[in-house]
Amino acid sequence: MKINEVEAAVGVTKKNIRFYEEEGLIHPGREPGNGYRSYSAADVERLRRIKLLRKLDVPLAEIRQMLEGECTLADGMARQLERLNTRRADLNEAVGFCTLLQKEPVSLNELDVEQTLARLAAKEEQGVTFVDIEQVDRKAERIKGALVGAGLFTAIMLLTIGIMAWSFCVDPQDVPPLPLLVVLFGIPAACIIGTLKVLVDRLKEIGKGEEDAYRNY
């Protein structure tokens, strides 16, 4: 089967299918001649199992263990239940604090914030996990930094290409031979493509880091 057919059969996007392949969860074969991915019925069934466990928020590492028979389904579910119960307890604590604040007869500006934060800190010392604001609130900053850096480098490379193209147009007699043109324009173009790939990888890394921090995997 081709990836489009697998996407329709399983209900998982091509992007996710490739991601699971990169993570070593599936191992499709290759068609002779063109080298295109070829998914077997076993790959499709494996993807369905991955989809089921991911919908239950099971970490990829543990899905891999269950798929490879390194741990049983029962053991994997026991670990996931423990994680979910911990998260539910944390959410219940947050709900409790929100409920208490809702009943406060004062405005936010009049609230004794220091005392409330102290109570939160006491809960955290007992093992309760609230939102990690250092991770969550700086996500936009990290994304902005990655975009600015990639944008500046790409702009410099485009300017370099533009200047070279302009100089050749001004004096056509000085235009280098085709192989040299390919090198002159190919290097900056390759730098741009490489920069954009690094940017995409960095954004994925930031997103994955936020997800991992939130889920505490």
Side-chain angles (χ1 to χ4, degrees), residues 29 57 106 128 132-134 178 197-198 207:
D57 210 12
V106 297
V128 177
D132 185 350
I133 61 174
E134 292 295 328
L178 182 60
K197 183 181 183 305
V198 170

mmCIF file of all heavy atoms in Angstrom, residues 29 57 106 128 132-134 178 197-198 207:
data_model
loop_
_atom_site.group_PDB
_atom_site.id
_atom_site.type_symbol
_atom_site.label_atom_id
_atom_site.label_comp_id
_atom_site.label_asym_id
_atom_site.label_seq_id
_atom_site.Cartn_x
_atom_site.Cartn_y
_atom_site.Cartn_z
ATOM 1 N N GLY A 29 8.564 -1.344 3.853
ATOM 2 C CA GLY A 29 9.546 -1.742 2.863
ATOM 3 C C GLY A 29 9.663 -0.697 1.768
ATOM 4 O O GLY A 29 9.047 0.373 1.832
ATOM 5 N N ASP A 57 -2.971 8.714 25.126
ATOM 6 C CA ASP A 57 -1.860 9.545 25.601
ATOM 7 C C ASP A 57 -0.703 8.723 26.151
ATOM 8 O O ASP A 57 0.032 9.172 27.040
ATOM 9 C CB ASP A 57 -2.339 10.537 26.661
ATOM 10 C CG ASP A 57 -1.515 11.818 26.663
ATOM 11 O OD1 ASP A 57 -0.735 12.014 25.710
ATOM 12 O OD2 ASP A 57 -1.645 12.605 27.608
ATOM 13 N N VAL A 106 -12.846 39.610 47.269
ATOM 14 C CA VAL A 106 -12.028 40.755 46.868
ATOM 15 C C VAL A 106 -11.662 40.633 45.397
ATOM 16 O O VAL A 106 -11.817 39.573 44.776
ATOM 17 C CB VAL A 106 -10.749 40.837 47.729
ATOM 18 C CG1 VAL A 106 -11.108 41.066 49.197
ATOM 19 C CG2 VAL A 106 -9.915 39.573 47.568
ATOM 20 N N VAL A 128 2.576 17.861 44.279
ATOM 21 C CA VAL A 128 1.602 18.333 43.300
ATOM 22 C C VAL A 128 2.326 19.129 42.210
ATOM 23 O O VAL A 128 3.254 19.879 42.497
ATOM 24 C CB VAL A 128 0.529 19.220 43.968
ATOM 25 C CG1 VAL A 128 -0.446 19.766 42.923
ATOM 26 C CG2 VAL A 128 -0.219 18.423 45.035
ATOM 27 N N ASP A 132 4.200 24.664 34.638
ATOM 28 C CA ASP A 132 5.564 25.185 34.680
ATOM 29 C C ASP A 132 5.622 26.432 33.807
ATOM 30 O O ASP A 132 5.789 26.349 32.592
ATOM 31 C CB ASP A 132 6.540 24.122 34.176
ATOM 32 C CG ASP A 132 7.994 24.557 34.309
ATOM 33 O OD1 ASP A 132 8.240 25.743 34.601
ATOM 34 O OD2 ASP A 132 8.885 23.712 34.127
ATOM 35 N N ILE A 133 5.487 27.598 34.429
ATOM 36 C CA ILE A 133 5.399 28.839 33.647
ATOM 37 C C ILE A 133 6.705 29.158 32.933
ATOM 38 O O ILE A 133 6.717 29.858 31.920
ATOM 39 C CB ILE A 133 4.967 30.030 34.521
ATOM 40 C CG1 ILE A 133 5.983 30.274 35.644
ATOM 41 C CG2 ILE A 133 3.576 29.804 35.099
ATOM 42 C CD1 ILE A 133 5.687 31.527 36.454
ATOM 43 N N GLU A 134 7.840 28.668 33.455
ATOM 44 C CA GLU A 134 9.114 28.907 32.788
ATOM 45 C C GLU A 134 9.119 28.254 31.410
ATOM 46 O O GLU A 134 9.680 28.781 30.459
ATOM 47 C CB GLU A 134 10.266 28.349 33.629
ATOM 48 C CG GLU A 134 10.497 29.092 34.932
ATOM 49 C CD GLU A 134 10.938 30.531 34.712
ATOM 50 O OE1 GLU A 134 11.623 30.794 33.708
ATOM 51 O OE2 GLU A 134 10.578 31.387 35.538
ATOM 52 N N LEU A 178 28.149 28.159 -17.417
ATOM 53 C CA LEU A 178 27.028 27.555 -16.692
ATOM 54 C C LEU A 178 27.450 26.769 -15.448
ATOM 55 O O LEU A 178 26.831 26.925 -14.387
ATOM 56 C CB LEU A 178 26.227 26.656 -17.643
ATOM 57 C CG LEU A 178 24.989 25.983 -17.029
ATOM 58 C CD1 LEU A 178 24.016 27.039 -16.517
ATOM 59 C CD2 LEU A 178 24.307 25.084 -18.054
ATOM 60 N N LYS A 197 15.328 24.119 6.834
ATOM 61 C CA LYS A 197 15.182 22.790 7.450
ATOM 62 C C LYS A 197 15.544 22.846 8.936
ATOM 63 O O LYS A 197 14.841 22.271 9.776
ATOM 64 C CB LYS A 197 16.073 21.777 6.743
ATOM 65 C CG LYS A 197 15.903 20.360 7.300
ATOM 66 C CD LYS A 197 16.809 19.365 6.613
ATOM 67 C CE LYS A 197 16.553 17.944 7.136
ATOM 68 N NZ LYS A 197 16.670 17.845 8.603
ATOM 69 N N VAL A 198 16.639 23.547 9.250
ATOM 70 C CA VAL A 198 17.025 23.699 10.659
ATOM 71 C C VAL A 198 15.921 24.410 11.436
ATOM 72 O O VAL A 198 15.611 24.058 12.579
ATOM 73 C CB VAL A 198 18.355 24.464 10.770
ATOM 74 C CG1 VAL A 198 18.643 24.845 12.224
ATOM 75 C CG2 VAL A 198 19.496 23.622 10.218
ATOM 76 N N GLY A 207 8.261 22.577 20.107
ATOM 77 C CA GLY A 207 6.937 22.022 20.360
ATOM 78 C C GLY A 207 6.991 20.734 21.144
ATOM 79 O O GLY A 207 6.215 20.519 22.065
#
